[in-house]
Amino acid sequence: MKTLYTLLLAIIISVTALAQNKADLKYNLELNKVYRVKNIAIQSMVQTVQGNEQNIETSNTVVFSLKPLKILEGEMIAEVRFDTIITLVSMPPMEVNSSNPGDINSSDAGEIMTCIMNRMSNSTFLVEMTNTGRVVKFMNLAAMQSGILQGIDSLKGPMAAGIQERAKMLVEESALKGMIESVTVYLPGREVKTGETWDILMDLSSGGMTMGTTTTFKLQDIEKGVAVLSSDIVIESKPVPMETNGMKITPDISGLGKSTLNVDTGTGWIVSGTARQQMKGELSLSAPGGSMQIPIQINSESEFIAIP
């Protein structure tokens, strides 16, 4: 009897250990519950213009929230919000905090962008998404864009064109999709075992520039309902020219990165995580009368923290 008991105990322990070595990693979120995560990113960019080195430090804090409204076959309809957006830029010095109303009619660029960010953080985007966090489509995008950009075409002054262009790029569909997917896309949508890997390809747009990323995730461990994911990231800019103030800017930038994410195996929602990236290359500027190349190097660190 003692031998049989020992054998049964050994079987139970081995089955439990086996169950902890695999997880079905896809979103399984509770309807009408709000899931939040804070992303803090610090970026240092060094660019050389006509022999002069310029160092620009940028700090971004974004609180992102998602509320599932309806579960479909392999998809969900959800409300998405950027509850808080805080940006600090060292050159030119600027602070944008979405908790302030700002002033769309101000002559100060910071006040105008603060107003845009305030409107954006008070907007609710209705999004159809896959159970791996991919954005299928926005269901109310035009209305949200119109509300956020209201009054932007009436700006006057020497900086008006640049601010208008920047604000419109911020709410482009590709830019908003990238902002969402940079937080939500990391799951394979299937059962995986520890040690198994999967690749995720994404295009992230910001400021008119599109960066293609290939991220190889690996399930390192599962402990107390939390899956530990590591990743290696390969980054490559898309050779698509940006046009601003009559000038074409074509990026040629590449780099590498690494991240670690802790994910709730029951819901698929991120618990915490960190990431680091290093990129370098050049920007090719072309305008009537001449052209030039600007060497550029970008180092960034980011942290994700779930908010109860």
Side-chain angles (χ1 to χ4, degrees), residues 49-218:
V49 181
Q50 296 180 336
N52 296 317
E53 195 172 271
Q54 300 175 346
N55 195 327
I56 302 173
E57 302 283 342
T58 304
S59 171
N60 281 301
T61 299
V62 177
V63 175
F64 171 87
S65 66
L66 185 149
K67 179 182 177 181
L69 301 178
K70 186 176 182 179
I71 303 299
L72 307 172
E73 183 67 30
E75 295 183 350
M76 61 180 164
I77 306 296
E79 289 181 351
V80 166
R81 292 175 59 93
F82 304 98
D83 300 309
T84 301
I85 306 171
I86 302 173
T87 301
L88 301 174
V89 183
S90 66
M91 190 179 72
M94 183 182 296
E95 178 177 352
V96 175
N97 190 325
S98 66
S99 65
N100 299 324
D103 183 0
I104 196 69
N105 297 310
S106 173
S107 59
D108 181 84
E111 281 294 305
I112 297 171
M113 291 309 298
T114 294
C115 179
I116 295 295
M117 292 299 187
N118 176 266
R119 292 173 178 178
M120 189 166 174
S121 69
N122 284 289
S123 299
T124 300
F125 297 90
L126 194 60
V127 183
E128 183 178 340
M129 307 175 69
T130 69
N131 62 9
T132 59
R134 295 275 188 182
V135 174
V136 177
K137 65 179 179 180
F138 291 89
M139 305 177 76
N140 64 341
L141 182 58
M144 293 300 99
Q145 289 173 326
S146 178
I148 294 169
L149 296 176
Q150 185 178 2
I152 198 73
D153 289 329
S154 300
L155 296 181
K156 293 180 172 57
M159 296 187 298
I163 295 173
Q164 289 167 347
E165 189 173 32
R166 181 178 174 186
K168 290 175 182 179
M169 286 192 296
L170 179 70
V171 295
E172 284 182 346
E173 183 174 359
S174 58
L176 291 168
K177 180 180 177 182
M179 287 181 69
I180 295 170
E181 292 188 343
S182 65
V183 178
T184 62
V185 175
Y186 46 81
L187 301 173
R190 57 182 173 83
E191 186 175 85
V192 292
K193 299 177 181 178
T194 54
E196 194 171 347
T197 63
W198 62 95
D199 291 339
I200 289 181
L201 280 64
M202 278 199 301
D203 287 342
L204 301 177
S205 297
S206 177
M209 185 186 303
T210 300
M211 305 297 291
T213 65
T214 300
T215 305
T216 300
F217 283 96
K218 182 178 182 180

Side-chain angles (χ1 to χ4, degrees), residues 218-282:
K218 182 178 182 180
L219 177 56
Q220 294 283 5
D221 194 11
I222 303 171
E223 184 176 351
K224 295 181 180 179
V226 175
V228 180
L229 314 182
S230 65
S231 78
D232 293 307
I233 309 165
V234 178
I235 310 159
E236 192 86 29
S237 62
K238 301 289 185 179
V240 179
M242 302 173 285
E243 293 195 21
T244 177
N245 296 327
M247 181 182 300
K248 288 187 177 181
I249 306 174
T250 305
D252 182 12
I253 302 171
S254 60
L256 300 172
K258 287 184 175 294
S259 73
T260 300
L261 299 179
N262 298 312
V263 177
D264 187 301
T265 57
T267 63
W269 192 251
I270 190 170
V271 175
S272 62
T274 58
R276 289 187 177 186
Q277 297 179 359
Q278 291 183 323
M279 296 177 283
K280 63 180 180 179
E282 64 180 23

